[in-house]
Amino acid sequence: PLLQALQGVAEASMQEGETVALLQLLVNYYKDGHNHVLPHIHRCRHICCSLGSTRDVEVEGKRIAMSHGDCLPLGGETHGVPPAEEKAGARVN
C-alpha cells in the first residue's frame, strides 16, 4: 500500500512537461511539546503528514494546527514546528 500511495503522490505532483518525480520520505519523531524544528525550506515539493498528537506547524509565518491524519502539501514554503505552548503528546510527522 505504501508504494502505491507514493506512486499516486508522485504522479499527482508532476507538472506539465516533467518526466521524473522526485520523492523524499522523511520521518520526524516528536517525543513531546519541547521538541521543535526551526523554520527551513526544502528544495522540492513534499507533503507533510501528521500522526499522533495535534501540534502547530508554522508555514510562512502562519500557524496551522495539524491533527492526526492531516496532510499539508508544501512547495518551497518556509516551514517549521515551534515548541508547543501547552503539554503535547508524541507525534510522528
Side-chain angles (χ1 to χ4, degrees), residues 32-34 54-56 63 82-89:
D32 56 36
H34 294 115
T54 298
R55 284 287 300 272
D56 284 346
R63 286 202 177 202
E85 295 176 6
E86 298 178 10
K87 185 177 179 180

Side-chain angles (χ1 to χ4, degrees), residues 1 23 32 35-36 42-44 61-62 65 78:
L23 297 177
D32 56 36
N35 300 115
H36 64 282
H42 293 269
R43 294 184 298 162
C44 63
K62 180 181 175 185
T78 300

Side-chain angles (χ1 to χ4, degrees), residues 28 30 32-40 48-68 70 72 74 78-93:
N28 298 313
Y30 301 89
D32 56 36
H34 294 115
N35 300 115
H36 64 282
V37 175
L38 296 174
H40 61 283
C48 179
C49 299
S50 182
L51 302 172
S53 294
T54 298
R55 284 287 300 272
D56 284 346
V57 174
E58 195 168 281
V59 179
E60 296 292 328
K62 180 181 175 185
R63 286 202 177 202
I64 300 169
M66 291 193 67
S67 299
H68 181 78
D70 287 348
L72 176 68
L74 296 170
T78 300
H79 61 283
V81 180
E85 295 176 6
E86 298 178 10
K87 185 177 179 180
R91 173 178 177 257
V92 172
N93 183 45

Side-chain angles (χ1 to χ4, degrees), residues 16-32:
E16 188 173 330
E18 291 182 328
T19 57
V20 175
L22 301 176
L23 297 177
Q24 293 181 359
L25 178 60
L26 304 173
V27 178
N28 298 313
Y29 171 66
Y30 301 89
K31 182 178 178 181
D32 56 36

